[in-house]
Structures are given as structure tokens and as C-alpha cells.
Amino acid sequence: GLVIVALVVFVEQSQRRIPVQYAKRMVGRRMFGGTSTYIPIKVNQAGVIPVIFSSSVLYLPSLISQFGDPEDGWVQWITTYFTAGDHPIYMIAYFLLTIFFTFFYVAITFNPEEVADNMKRYGGFIPGIRAGRPTERYLSYVL
């Protein structure tokens, strides 16, 4: 029990730090920039949202089956496989939906194109990777 909690906390808190450097700029007589920072990309960006979506989607068949006749075959099938929650078909569907919603949620919330454009606008770059489209592809790959 305690090992699982420790592993969950470790994965939840872990992140990949992508180094970003900002070029030096002259504004008038003053020098600005030249700083080095990083973009923290969490390993689990979606958090618990995919689990909530998956459980909600898997609850819909049993909710709909409550309006049907208990003698119907489809109502019995849903009651057998989706109401208990411990059937292998239910577990596989829950796992696959969680994976799907994880990718879906991250694709919607993290926009590599926008991050790359903002970095380029403010003179930032990832060492070894050109600004603009190559940065966008690199962020998509890391994500």
C-alpha cells in the first residue's frame, strides 16, 4: 500500500525540464536577457481528468439500461459486464478509455505551436534546436 502511494506521488511530481536560453538584446544602452531557464513538462499532465472521463463514459451504458426491460438481452448483457465493475471486459474498456482520454486531454491543453511561437517572439531557443517549426516538432516529440 505505502509503496504504491510513494510511486504515485513520485510520478505525479516528476517532470521533464527542457532547457531554454534567451538571447541578449540591446535596448538603448542597456543589455537585456541572456538568461537560462527551463520549460517544466509534467510526466502526468492530465492528472485525474482521464479517470473521471473514463468512469463517466462507462457509467452511461448502465444508466441507459435502467430504462429498459430487465428481460431484454441487451439490458442483461450490460448488467453482466458493466454494472459490477470487476469483469475483465469492463477493466479493459476502462484502461483503454483512460489511455485515450489522457492523450486527448493533453493534445487539447498543451499547444506546442503556441509555446514555440512565444519562445521565438521573446528570443528564446532550446540549445541545439532551431527556433520555430523545429522547436514545435521537438516539443511534440517530448510530449
mmCIF file with all atom_site columns, all heavy atoms in Angstrom, residues 19-46:
data_model
loop_
_atom_site.group_PDB
_atom_site.id
_atom_site.type_symbol
_atom_site.label_atom_id
_atom_site.label_alt_id
_atom_site.label_comp_id
_atom_site.label_asym_id
_atom_site.label_entity_id
_atom_site.label_seq_id
_atom_site.pdbx_PDB_ins_code
_atom_site.Cartn_x
_atom_site.Cartn_y
_atom_site.Cartn_z
_atom_site.occupancy
_atom_site.B_iso_or_equiv
_atom_site.pdbx_formal_charge
_atom_site.auth_seq_id
_atom_site.auth_comp_id
_atom_site.auth_asym_id
_atom_site.auth_atom_id
_atom_site.pdbx_PDB_model_num
ATOM 1   N N   . PRO A 1 19 ? 15.578 22.728 -21.315 1.00 0.00 ? 19 PRO A N   1
ATOM 2   C CA  . PRO A 1 19 ? 16.315 23.991 -21.132 1.00 0.00 ? 19 PRO A CA  1
ATOM 3   C C   . PRO A 1 19 ? 15.974 25.004 -22.222 1.00 0.00 ? 19 PRO A C   1
ATOM 4   O O   . PRO A 1 19 ? 15.831 24.656 -23.390 1.00 0.00 ? 19 PRO A O   1
ATOM 5   C CB  . PRO A 1 19 ? 17.778 23.564 -21.221 1.00 0.00 ? 19 PRO A CB  1
ATOM 6   C CG  . PRO A 1 19 ? 17.755 22.304 -22.008 1.00 0.00 ? 19 PRO A CG  1
ATOM 7   C CD  . PRO A 1 19 ? 16.440 21.631 -21.709 1.00 0.00 ? 19 PRO A CD  1
ATOM 8   N N   . VAL A 1 20 ? 15.836 26.258 -21.816 1.00 0.00 ? 20 VAL A N   1
ATOM 9   C CA  . VAL A 1 20 ? 15.552 27.357 -22.747 1.00 0.00 ? 20 VAL A CA  1
ATOM 10  C C   . VAL A 1 20 ? 16.524 28.488 -22.422 1.00 0.00 ? 20 VAL A C   1
ATOM 11  O O   . VAL A 1 20 ? 16.708 28.839 -21.256 1.00 0.00 ? 20 VAL A O   1
ATOM 12  C CB  . VAL A 1 20 ? 14.102 27.866 -22.597 1.00 0.00 ? 20 VAL A CB  1
ATOM 13  C CG1 . VAL A 1 20 ? 13.848 29.053 -23.513 1.00 0.00 ? 20 VAL A CG1 1
ATOM 14  C CG2 . VAL A 1 20 ? 13.118 26.763 -22.887 1.00 0.00 ? 20 VAL A CG2 1
ATOM 15  N N   . GLN A 1 21 ? 17.149 29.022 -23.453 1.00 0.00 ? 21 GLN A N   1
ATOM 16  C CA  . GLN A 1 21 ? 18.032 30.162 -23.278 1.00 0.00 ? 21 GLN A CA  1
ATOM 17  C C   . GLN A 1 21 ? 17.447 31.346 -24.029 1.00 0.00 ? 21 GLN A C   1
ATOM 18  O O   . GLN A 1 21 ? 16.865 31.188 -25.105 1.00 0.00 ? 21 GLN A O   1
ATOM 19  C CB  . GLN A 1 21 ? 19.439 29.859 -23.804 1.00 0.00 ? 21 GLN A CB  1
ATOM 20  C CG  . GLN A 1 21 ? 20.174 28.850 -22.957 1.00 0.00 ? 21 GLN A CG  1
ATOM 21  C CD  . GLN A 1 21 ? 21.576 28.608 -23.463 1.00 0.00 ? 21 GLN A CD  1
ATOM 22  O OE1 . GLN A 1 21 ? 21.878 28.849 -24.620 1.00 0.00 ? 21 GLN A OE1 1
ATOM 23  N NE2 . GLN A 1 21 ? 22.435 28.127 -22.572 1.00 0.00 ? 21 GLN A NE2 1
ATOM 24  N N   . TYR A 1 22 ? 17.610 32.520 -23.441 1.00 0.00 ? 22 TYR A N   1
ATOM 25  C CA  . TYR A 1 22 ? 17.144 33.742 -24.079 1.00 0.00 ? 22 TYR A CA  1
ATOM 26  C C   . TYR A 1 22 ? 18.350 34.550 -24.511 1.00 0.00 ? 22 TYR A C   1
ATOM 27  O O   . TYR A 1 22 ? 19.293 34.744 -23.752 1.00 0.00 ? 22 TYR A O   1
ATOM 28  C CB  . TYR A 1 22 ? 16.266 34.553 -23.123 1.00 0.00 ? 22 TYR A CB  1
ATOM 29  C CG  . TYR A 1 22 ? 14.918 33.908 -22.927 1.00 0.00 ? 22 TYR A CG  1
ATOM 30  C CD1 . TYR A 1 22 ? 14.685 33.050 -21.859 1.00 0.00 ? 22 TYR A CD1 1
ATOM 31  C CD2 . TYR A 1 22 ? 13.889 34.135 -23.831 1.00 0.00 ? 22 TYR A CD2 1
ATOM 32  C CE1 . TYR A 1 22 ? 13.450 32.440 -21.692 1.00 0.00 ? 22 TYR A CE1 1
ATOM 33  C CE2 . TYR A 1 22 ? 12.658 33.537 -23.668 1.00 0.00 ? 22 TYR A CE2 1
ATOM 34  C CZ  . TYR A 1 22 ? 12.452 32.685 -22.604 1.00 0.00 ? 22 TYR A CZ  1
ATOM 35  O OH  . TYR A 1 22 ? 11.240 32.083 -22.456 1.00 0.00 ? 22 TYR A OH  1
ATOM 36  N N   . ALA A 1 23 ? 18.315 35.008 -25.755 1.00 0.00 ? 23 ALA A N   1
ATOM 37  C CA  . ALA A 1 23 ? 19.437 35.760 -26.318 1.00 0.00 ? 23 ALA A CA  1
ATOM 38  C C   . ALA A 1 23 ? 19.531 37.133 -25.665 1.00 0.00 ? 23 ALA A C   1
ATOM 39  O O   . ALA A 1 23 ? 18.541 37.699 -25.217 1.00 0.00 ? 23 ALA A O   1
ATOM 40  C CB  . ALA A 1 23 ? 19.257 35.909 -27.827 1.00 0.00 ? 23 ALA A CB  1
ATOM 41  N N   . LYS A 1 24 ? 20.746 37.668 -25.642 1.00 0.00 ? 24 LYS A N   1
ATOM 42  C CA  . LYS A 1 24 ? 20.968 39.024 -25.117 1.00 0.00 ? 24 LYS A CA  1
ATOM 43  C C   . LYS A 1 24 ? 20.506 40.043 -26.163 1.00 0.00 ? 24 LYS A C   1
ATOM 44  O O   . LYS A 1 24 ? 20.719 39.852 -27.351 1.00 0.00 ? 24 LYS A O   1
ATOM 45  C CB  . LYS A 1 24 ? 22.442 39.244 -24.801 1.00 0.00 ? 24 LYS A CB  1
ATOM 46  C CG  . LYS A 1 24 ? 22.946 38.386 -23.678 1.00 0.00 ? 24 LYS A CG  1
ATOM 47  C CD  . LYS A 1 24 ? 24.413 38.646 -23.425 1.00 0.00 ? 24 LYS A CD  1
ATOM 48  C CE  . LYS A 1 24 ? 24.898 37.710 -22.331 1.00 0.00 ? 24 LYS A CE  1
ATOM 49  N NZ  . LYS A 1 24 ? 26.330 37.807 -22.121 1.00 0.00 ? 24 LYS A NZ  1
ATOM 50  N N   . ARG A 1 25 ? 19.882 41.112 -25.682 1.00 0.00 ? 25 ARG A N   1
ATOM 51  C CA  . ARG A 1 25 ? 19.407 42.154 -26.590 1.00 0.00 ? 25 ARG A CA  1
ATOM 52  C C   . ARG A 1 25 ? 19.820 43.515 -26.058 1.00 0.00 ? 25 ARG A C   1
ATOM 53  O O   . ARG A 1 25 ? 19.803 43.744 -24.849 1.00 0.00 ? 25 ARG A O   1
ATOM 54  C CB  . ARG A 1 25 ? 17.877 42.117 -26.697 1.00 0.00 ? 25 ARG A CB  1
ATOM 55  C CG  . ARG A 1 25 ? 17.348 40.902 -27.416 1.00 0.00 ? 25 ARG A CG  1
ATOM 56  C CD  . ARG A 1 25 ? 15.880 41.049 -27.698 1.00 0.00 ? 25 ARG A CD  1
ATOM 57  N NE  . ARG A 1 25 ? 15.153 41.456 -26.496 1.00 0.00 ? 25 ARG A NE  1
ATOM 58  C CZ  . ARG A 1 25 ? 13.967 41.004 -26.150 1.00 0.00 ? 25 ARG A CZ  1
ATOM 59  N NH1 . ARG A 1 25 ? 13.365 40.130 -26.891 1.00 0.00 ? 25 ARG A NH1 1
ATOM 60  N NH2 . ARG A 1 25 ? 13.364 41.434 -25.073 1.00 0.00 ? 25 ARG A NH2 1
ATOM 61  N N   . MET A 1 26 ? 20.160 44.396 -26.967 1.00 0.00 ? 26 MET A N   1
ATOM 62  C CA  . MET A 1 26 ? 20.485 45.773 -26.598 1.00 0.00 ? 26 MET A CA  1
ATOM 63  C C   . MET A 1 26 ? 19.237 46.627 -26.804 1.00 0.00 ? 26 MET A C   1
ATOM 64  O O   . MET A 1 26 ? 18.690 46.678 -27.890 1.00 0.00 ? 26 MET A O   1
ATOM 65  C CB  . MET A 1 26 ? 21.616 46.322 -27.481 1.00 0.00 ? 26 MET A CB  1
ATOM 66  C CG  . MET A 1 26 ? 22.979 45.753 -27.174 1.00 0.00 ? 26 MET A CG  1
ATOM 67  S SD  . MET A 1 26 ? 23.616 46.245 -25.577 1.00 0.00 ? 26 MET A SD  1
ATOM 68  C CE  . MET A 1 26 ? 23.963 47.956 -25.861 1.00 0.00 ? 26 MET A CE  1
ATOM 69  N N   . VAL A 1 27 ? 18.801 47.295 -25.739 1.00 0.00 ? 27 VAL A N   1
ATOM 70  C CA  . VAL A 1 27 ? 17.694 48.239 -25.827 1.00 0.00 ? 27 VAL A CA  1
ATOM 71  C C   . VAL A 1 27 ? 18.253 49.565 -25.324 1.00 0.00 ? 27 VAL A C   1
ATOM 72  O O   . VAL A 1 27 ? 18.479 49.744 -24.132 1.00 0.00 ? 27 VAL A O   1
ATOM 73  C CB  . VAL A 1 27 ? 16.486 47.786 -24.988 1.00 0.00 ? 27 VAL A CB  1
ATOM 74  C CG1 . VAL A 1 27 ? 15.359 48.810 -25.090 1.00 0.00 ? 27 VAL A CG1 1
ATOM 75  C CG2 . VAL A 1 27 ? 16.006 46.415 -25.440 1.00 0.00 ? 27 VAL A CG2 1
ATOM 76  N N   . GLY A 1 28 ? 18.489 50.465 -26.256 1.00 0.00 ? 28 GLY A N   1
ATOM 77  C CA  . GLY A 1 28 ? 19.164 51.715 -25.887 1.00 0.00 ? 28 GLY A CA  1
ATOM 78  C C   . GLY A 1 28 ? 20.605 51.402 -25.516 1.00 0.00 ? 28 GLY A C   1
ATOM 79  O O   . GLY A 1 28 ? 21.339 50.794 -26.277 1.00 0.00 ? 28 GLY A O   1
ATOM 80  N N   . ARG A 1 29 ? 20.997 51.801 -24.322 1.00 0.00 ? 29 ARG A N   1
ATOM 81  C CA  . ARG A 1 29 ? 22.350 51.499 -23.856 1.00 0.00 ? 29 ARG A CA  1
ATOM 82  C C   . ARG A 1 29 ? 22.382 50.323 -22.896 1.00 0.00 ? 29 ARG A C   1
ATOM 83  O O   . ARG A 1 29 ? 23.428 49.987 -22.353 1.00 0.00 ? 29 ARG A O   1
ATOM 84  C CB  . ARG A 1 29 ? 22.928 52.714 -23.130 1.00 0.00 ? 29 ARG A CB  1
ATOM 85  C CG  . ARG A 1 29 ? 23.179 53.889 -24.018 1.00 0.00 ? 29 ARG A CG  1
ATOM 86  C CD  . ARG A 1 29 ? 23.873 54.939 -23.216 1.00 0.00 ? 29 ARG A CD  1
ATOM 87  N NE  . ARG A 1 29 ? 23.761 56.233 -23.883 1.00 0.00 ? 29 ARG A NE  1
ATOM 88  C CZ  . ARG A 1 29 ? 24.446 57.276 -23.526 1.00 0.00 ? 29 ARG A CZ  1
ATOM 89  N NH1 . ARG A 1 29 ? 25.268 57.210 -22.504 1.00 0.00 ? 29 ARG A NH1 1
ATOM 90  N NH2 . ARG A 1 29 ? 24.302 58.410 -24.164 1.00 0.00 ? 29 ARG A NH2 1
ATOM 91  N N   . ARG A 1 30 ? 21.237 49.741 -22.651 1.00 0.00 ? 30 ARG A N   1
ATOM 92  C CA  . ARG A 1 30 ? 21.158 48.660 -21.659 1.00 0.00 ? 30 ARG A CA  1
ATOM 93  C C   . ARG A 1 30 ? 21.105 47.298 -22.323 1.00 0.00 ? 30 ARG A C   1
ATOM 94  O O   . ARG A 1 30 ? 20.519 47.128 -23.379 1.00 0.00 ? 30 ARG A O   1
ATOM 95  C CB  . ARG A 1 30 ? 19.927 48.860 -20.793 1.00 0.00 ? 30 ARG A CB  1
ATOM 96  C CG  . ARG A 1 30 ? 19.958 50.225 -20.088 1.00 0.00 ? 30 ARG A CG  1
ATOM 97  C CD  . ARG A 1 30 ? 18.790 50.395 -19.192 1.00 0.00 ? 30 ARG A CD  1
ATOM 98  N NE  . ARG A 1 30 ? 18.902 49.443 -18.086 1.00 0.00 ? 30 ARG A NE  1
ATOM 99  C CZ  . ARG A 1 30 ? 18.141 49.471 -17.024 1.00 0.00 ? 30 ARG A CZ  1
ATOM 100 N NH1 . ARG A 1 30 ? 17.202 50.373 -16.904 1.00 0.00 ? 30 ARG A NH1 1
ATOM 101 N NH2 . ARG A 1 30 ? 18.287 48.587 -16.058 1.00 0.00 ? 30 ARG A NH2 1
ATOM 102 N N   . MET A 1 31 ? 21.675 46.320 -21.653 1.00 0.00 ? 31 MET A N   1
ATOM 103 C CA  . MET A 1 31 ? 21.681 44.933 -22.126 1.00 0.00 ? 31 MET A CA  1
ATOM 104 C C   . MET A 1 31 ? 20.591 44.174 -21.376 1.00 0.00 ? 31 MET A C   1
ATOM 105 O O   . MET A 1 31 ? 20.544 44.213 -20.151 1.00 0.00 ? 31 MET A O   1
ATOM 106 C CB  . MET A 1 31 ? 23.050 44.303 -21.852 1.00 0.00 ? 31 MET A CB  1
ATOM 107 C CG  . MET A 1 31 ? 23.185 42.881 -22.310 1.00 0.00 ? 31 MET A CG  1
ATOM 108 S SD  . MET A 1 31 ? 23.410 42.719 -24.063 1.00 0.00 ? 31 MET A SD  1
ATOM 109 C CE  . MET A 1 31 ? 25.087 43.237 -24.219 1.00 0.00 ? 31 MET A CE  1
ATOM 110 N N   . PHE A 1 32 ? 19.721 43.499 -22.120 1.00 0.00 ? 32 PHE A N   1
ATOM 111 C CA  . PHE A 1 32 ? 18.653 42.705 -21.515 1.00 0.00 ? 32 PHE A CA  1
ATOM 112 C C   . PHE A 1 32 ? 18.783 41.258 -21.954 1.00 0.00 ? 32 PHE A C   1
ATOM 113 O O   . PHE A 1 32 ? 19.258 40.964 -23.045 1.00 0.00 ? 32 PHE A O   1
ATOM 114 C CB  . PHE A 1 32 ? 17.269 43.225 -21.944 1.00 0.00 ? 32 PHE A CB  1
ATOM 115 C CG  . PHE A 1 32 ? 16.878 44.512 -21.297 1.00 0.00 ? 32 PHE A CG  1
ATOM 116 C CD1 . PHE A 1 32 ? 17.024 45.710 -21.961 1.00 0.00 ? 32 PHE A CD1 1
ATOM 117 C CD2 . PHE A 1 32 ? 16.372 44.520 -20.012 1.00 0.00 ? 32 PHE A CD2 1
ATOM 118 C CE1 . PHE A 1 32 ? 16.665 46.904 -21.373 1.00 0.00 ? 32 PHE A CE1 1
ATOM 119 C CE2 . PHE A 1 32 ? 16.003 45.708 -19.406 1.00 0.00 ? 32 PHE A CE2 1
ATOM 120 C CZ  . PHE A 1 32 ? 16.149 46.905 -20.086 1.00 0.00 ? 32 PHE A CZ  1
ATOM 121 N N   . GLY A 1 33 ? 18.285 40.352 -21.121 1.00 0.00 ? 33 GLY A N   1
ATOM 122 C CA  . GLY A 1 33 ? 18.233 38.942 -21.490 1.00 0.00 ? 33 GLY A CA  1
ATOM 123 C C   . GLY A 1 33 ? 19.496 38.196 -21.155 1.00 0.00 ? 33 GLY A C   1
ATOM 124 O O   . GLY A 1 33 ? 20.232 38.539 -20.242 1.00 0.00 ? 33 GLY A O   1
ATOM 125 N N   . GLY A 1 34 ? 19.744 37.156 -21.918 1.00 0.00 ? 34 GLY A N   1
ATOM 126 C CA  . GLY A 1 34 ? 20.887 36.309 -21.678 1.00 0.00 ? 34 GLY A CA  1
ATOM 127 C C   . GLY A 1 34 ? 20.643 35.318 -20.556 1.00 0.00 ? 34 GLY A C   1
ATOM 128 O O   . GLY A 1 34 ? 21.567 34.703 -20.054 1.00 0.00 ? 34 GLY A O   1
ATOM 129 N N   . THR A 1 35 ? 19.402 35.143 -20.163 1.00 0.00 ? 35 THR A N   1
ATOM 130 C CA  . THR A 1 35 ? 19.091 34.244 -19.058 1.00 0.00 ? 35 THR A CA  1
ATOM 131 C C   . THR A 1 35 ? 18.871 32.830 -19.558 1.00 0.00 ? 35 THR A C   1
ATOM 132 O O   . THR A 1 35 ? 18.630 32.594 -20.737 1.00 0.00 ? 35 THR A O   1
ATOM 133 C CB  . THR A 1 35 ? 17.831 34.711 -18.307 1.00 0.00 ? 35 THR A CB  1
ATOM 134 O OG1 . THR A 1 35 ? 16.737 34.727 -19.227 1.00 0.00 ? 35 THR A OG1 1
ATOM 135 C CG2 . THR A 1 35 ? 18.028 36.079 -17.700 1.00 0.00 ? 35 THR A CG2 1
ATOM 136 N N   . SER A 1 36 ? 18.955 31.888 -18.645 1.00 0.00 ? 36 SER A N   1
ATOM 137 C CA  . SER A 1 36 ? 18.718 30.486 -18.950 1.00 0.00 ? 36 SER A CA  1
ATOM 138 C C   . SER A 1 36 ? 17.639 29.978 -18.003 1.00 0.00 ? 36 SER A C   1
ATOM 139 O O   . SER A 1 36 ? 17.715 30.200 -16.797 1.00 0.00 ? 36 SER A O   1
ATOM 140 C CB  . SER A 1 36 ? 20.008 29.686 -18.778 1.00 0.00 ? 36 SER A CB  1
ATOM 141 O OG  . SER A 1 36 ? 19.774 28.348 -19.078 1.00 0.00 ? 36 SER A OG  1
ATOM 142 N N   . THR A 1 37 ? 16.644 29.332 -18.553 1.00 0.00 ? 37 THR A N   1
ATOM 143 C CA  . THR A 1 37 ? 15.555 28.802 -17.740 1.00 0.00 ? 37 THR A CA  1
ATOM 144 C C   . THR A 1 37 ? 15.133 27.454 -18.327 1.00 0.00 ? 37 THR A C   1
ATOM 145 O O   . THR A 1 37 ? 15.863 26.881 -19.128 1.00 0.00 ? 37 THR A O   1
ATOM 146 C CB  . THR A 1 37 ? 14.381 29.796 -17.685 1.00 0.00 ? 37 THR A CB  1
ATOM 147 O OG1 . THR A 1 37 ? 13.384 29.287 -16.809 1.00 0.00 ? 37 THR A OG1 1
ATOM 148 C CG2 . THR A 1 37 ? 13.794 30.058 -19.052 1.00 0.00 ? 37 THR A CG2 1
ATOM 149 N N   . TYR A 1 38 ? 13.985 26.950 -17.955 1.00 0.00 ? 38 TYR A N   1
ATOM 150 C CA  . TYR A 1 38 ? 13.515 25.678 -18.496 1.00 0.00 ? 38 TYR A CA  1
ATOM 151 C C   . TYR A 1 38 ? 11.995 25.661 -18.560 1.00 0.00 ? 38 TYR A C   1
ATOM 152 O O   . TYR A 1 38 ? 11.325 26.413 -17.863 1.00 0.00 ? 38 TYR A O   1
ATOM 153 C CB  . TYR A 1 38 ? 14.036 24.499 -17.661 1.00 0.00 ? 38 TYR A CB  1
ATOM 154 C CG  . TYR A 1 38 ? 13.573 24.509 -16.232 1.00 0.00 ? 38 TYR A CG  1
ATOM 155 C CD1 . TYR A 1 38 ? 12.375 23.918 -15.869 1.00 0.00 ? 38 TYR A CD1 1
ATOM 156 C CD2 . TYR A 1 38 ? 14.326 25.118 -15.240 1.00 0.00 ? 38 TYR A CD2 1
ATOM 157 C CE1 . TYR A 1 38 ? 11.937 23.930 -14.565 1.00 0.00 ? 38 TYR A CE1 1
ATOM 158 C CE2 . TYR A 1 38 ? 13.900 25.141 -13.927 1.00 0.00 ? 38 TYR A CE2 1
ATOM 159 C CZ  . TYR A 1 38 ? 12.705 24.540 -13.598 1.00 0.00 ? 38 TYR A CZ  1
ATOM 160 O OH  . TYR A 1 38 ? 12.267 24.570 -12.307 1.00 0.00 ? 38 TYR A OH  1
ATOM 161 N N   . ILE A 1 39 ? 11.493 24.790 -19.435 1.00 0.00 ? 39 ILE A N   1
ATOM 162 C CA  . ILE A 1 39 ? 10.051 24.538 -19.521 1.00 0.00 ? 39 ILE A CA  1
ATOM 163 C C   . ILE A 1 39 ? 9.788  23.233 -18.781 1.00 0.00 ? 39 ILE A C   1
ATOM 164 O O   . ILE A 1 39 ? 10.297 22.187 -19.183 1.00 0.00 ? 39 ILE A O   1
ATOM 165 C CB  . ILE A 1 39 ? 9.593  24.392 -20.988 1.00 0.00 ? 39 ILE A CB  1
ATOM 166 C CG1 . ILE A 1 39 ? 9.868  25.665 -21.771 1.00 0.00 ? 39 ILE A CG1 1
ATOM 167 C CG2 . ILE A 1 39 ? 8.114  24.038 -21.050 1.00 0.00 ? 39 ILE A CG2 1
ATOM 168 C CD1 . ILE A 1 39 ? 9.595  25.517 -23.257 1.00 0.00 ? 39 ILE A CD1 1
ATOM 169 N N   . PRO A 1 40 ? 9.030  23.266 -17.694 1.00 0.00 ? 40 PRO A N   1
ATOM 170 C CA  . PRO A 1 40 ? 8.727  22.013 -16.990 1.00 0.00 ? 40 PRO A CA  1
ATOM 171 C C   . PRO A 1 40 ? 7.546  21.298 -17.642 1.00 0.00 ? 40 PRO A C   1
ATOM 172 O O   . PRO A 1 40 ? 6.433  21.817 -17.668 1.00 0.00 ? 40 PRO A O   1
ATOM 173 C CB  . PRO A 1 40 ? 8.382  22.479 -15.574 1.00 0.00 ? 40 PRO A CB  1
ATOM 174 C CG  . PRO A 1 40 ? 7.854  23.865 -15.765 1.00 0.00 ? 40 PRO A CG  1
ATOM 175 C CD  . PRO A 1 40 ? 8.524  24.429 -16.993 1.00 0.00 ? 40 PRO A CD  1
ATOM 176 N N   . ILE A 1 41 ? 7.791  20.135 -18.207 1.00 0.00 ? 41 ILE A N   1
ATOM 177 C CA  . ILE A 1 41 ? 6.707  19.339 -18.779 1.00 0.00 ? 41 ILE A CA  1
ATOM 178 C C   . ILE A 1 41 ? 6.475  18.156 -17.843 1.00 0.00 ? 41 ILE A C   1
ATOM 179 O O   . ILE A 1 41 ? 7.349  17.313 -17.667 1.00 0.00 ? 41 ILE A O   1
ATOM 180 C CB  . ILE A 1 41 ? 7.052  18.848 -20.197 1.00 0.00 ? 41 ILE A CB  1
ATOM 181 C CG1 . ILE A 1 41 ? 7.163  20.051 -21.128 1.00 0.00 ? 41 ILE A CG1 1
ATOM 182 C CG2 . ILE A 1 41 ? 5.999  17.867 -20.695 1.00 0.00 ? 41 ILE A CG2 1
ATOM 183 C CD1 . ILE A 1 41 ? 7.395  19.706 -22.568 1.00 0.00 ? 41 ILE A CD1 1
ATOM 184 N N   . LYS A 1 42 ? 5.297  18.136 -17.222 1.00 0.00 ? 42 LYS A N   1
ATOM 185 C CA  . LYS A 1 42 ? 4.988  17.076 -16.268 1.00 0.00 ? 42 LYS A CA  1
ATOM 186 C C   . LYS A 1 42 ? 4.822  15.744 -16.982 1.00 0.00 ? 42 LYS A C   1
ATOM 187 O O   . LYS A 1 42 ? 4.339  15.689 -18.106 1.00 0.00 ? 42 LYS A O   1
ATOM 188 C CB  . LYS A 1 42 ? 3.709  17.410 -15.501 1.00 0.00 ? 42 LYS A CB  1
ATOM 189 C CG  . LYS A 1 42 ? 3.869  18.581 -14.542 1.00 0.00 ? 42 LYS A CG  1
ATOM 190 C CD  . LYS A 1 42 ? 2.602  18.834 -13.776 1.00 0.00 ? 42 LYS A CD  1
ATOM 191 C CE  . LYS A 1 42 ? 2.356  17.671 -12.847 1.00 0.00 ? 42 LYS A CE  1
ATOM 192 N NZ  . LYS A 1 42 ? 1.345  17.915 -11.831 1.00 0.00 ? 42 LYS A NZ  1
ATOM 193 N N   . VAL A 1 43 ? 5.209  14.678 -16.299 1.00 0.00 ? 43 VAL A N   1
ATOM 194 C CA  . VAL A 1 43 ? 5.033  13.338 -16.859 1.00 0.00 ? 43 VAL A CA  1
ATOM 195 C C   . VAL A 1 43 ? 3.548  13.027 -16.987 1.00 0.00 ? 43 VAL A C   1
ATOM 196 O O   . VAL A 1 43 ? 3.096  12.484 -17.989 1.00 0.00 ? 43 VAL A O   1
ATOM 197 C CB  . VAL A 1 43 ? 5.738  12.285 -15.968 1.00 0.00 ? 43 VAL A CB  1
ATOM 198 C CG1 . VAL A 1 43 ? 5.407  10.883 -16.412 1.00 0.00 ? 43 VAL A CG1 1
ATOM 199 C CG2 . VAL A 1 43 ? 7.236  12.511 -15.994 1.00 0.00 ? 43 VAL A CG2 1
ATOM 200 N N   . ASN A 1 44 ? 2.775  13.408 -15.980 1.00 0.00 ? 44 ASN A N   1
ATOM 201 C CA  . ASN A 1 44 ? 1.336  13.187 -15.998 1.00 0.00 ? 44 ASN A CA  1
ATOM 202 C C   . ASN A 1 44 ? 0.641  14.540 -16.060 1.00 0.00 ? 44 ASN A C   1
ATOM 203 O O   . ASN A 1 44 ? 0.189  15.061 -15.049 1.00 0.00 ? 44 ASN A O   1
ATOM 204 C CB  . ASN A 1 44 ? 0.912  12.398 -14.761 1.00 0.00 ? 44 ASN A CB  1
ATOM 205 C CG  . ASN A 1 44 ? -0.570 12.141 -14.717 1.00 0.00 ? 44 ASN A CG  1
ATOM 206 O OD1 . ASN A 1 44 ? -1.261 12.259 -15.722 1.00 0.00 ? 44 ASN A OD1 1
ATOM 207 N ND2 . ASN A 1 44 ? -1.075 11.792 -13.553 1.00 0.00 ? 44 ASN A ND2 1
ATOM 208 N N   . GLN A 1 45 ? 0.553  15.122 -17.244 1.00 0.00 ? 45 GLN A N   1
ATOM 209 C CA  . GLN A 1 45 ? -0.057 16.448 -17.386 1.00 0.00 ? 45 GLN A CA  1
ATOM 210 C C   . GLN A 1 45 ? -1.561 16.427 -17.185 1.00 0.00 ? 45 GLN A C   1
ATOM 211 O O   . GLN A 1 45 ? -2.147 17.411 -16.772 1.00 0.00 ? 45 GLN A O   1
ATOM 212 C CB  . GLN A 1 45 ? 0.242  17.021 -18.769 1.00 0.00 ? 45 GLN A CB  1
ATOM 213 C CG  . GLN A 1 45 ? 1.627  17.524 -18.902 1.00 0.00 ? 45 GLN A CG  1
ATOM 214 C CD  . GLN A 1 45 ? 1.783  18.364 -20.149 1.00 0.00 ? 45 GLN A CD  1
ATOM 215 O OE1 . GLN A 1 45 ? 0.820  18.765 -20.780 1.00 0.00 ? 45 GLN A OE1 1
ATOM 216 N NE2 . GLN A 1 45 ? 3.006  18.638 -20.502 1.00 0.00 ? 45 GLN A NE2 1
ATOM 217 N N   . ALA A 1 46 ? -2.185 15.323 -17.497 1.00 0.00 ? 46 ALA A N   1
ATOM 218 C CA  . ALA A 1 46 ? -3.644 15.270 -17.457 1.00 0.00 ? 46 ALA A CA  1
ATOM 219 C C   . ALA A 1 46 ? -4.188 15.118 -16.046 1.00 0.00 ? 46 ALA A C   1
ATOM 220 O O   . ALA A 1 46 ? -5.344 15.441 -15.792 1.00 0.00 ? 46 ALA A O   1
ATOM 221 C CB  . ALA A 1 46 ? -4.140 14.127 -18.336 1.00 0.00 ? 46 ALA A CB  1
#
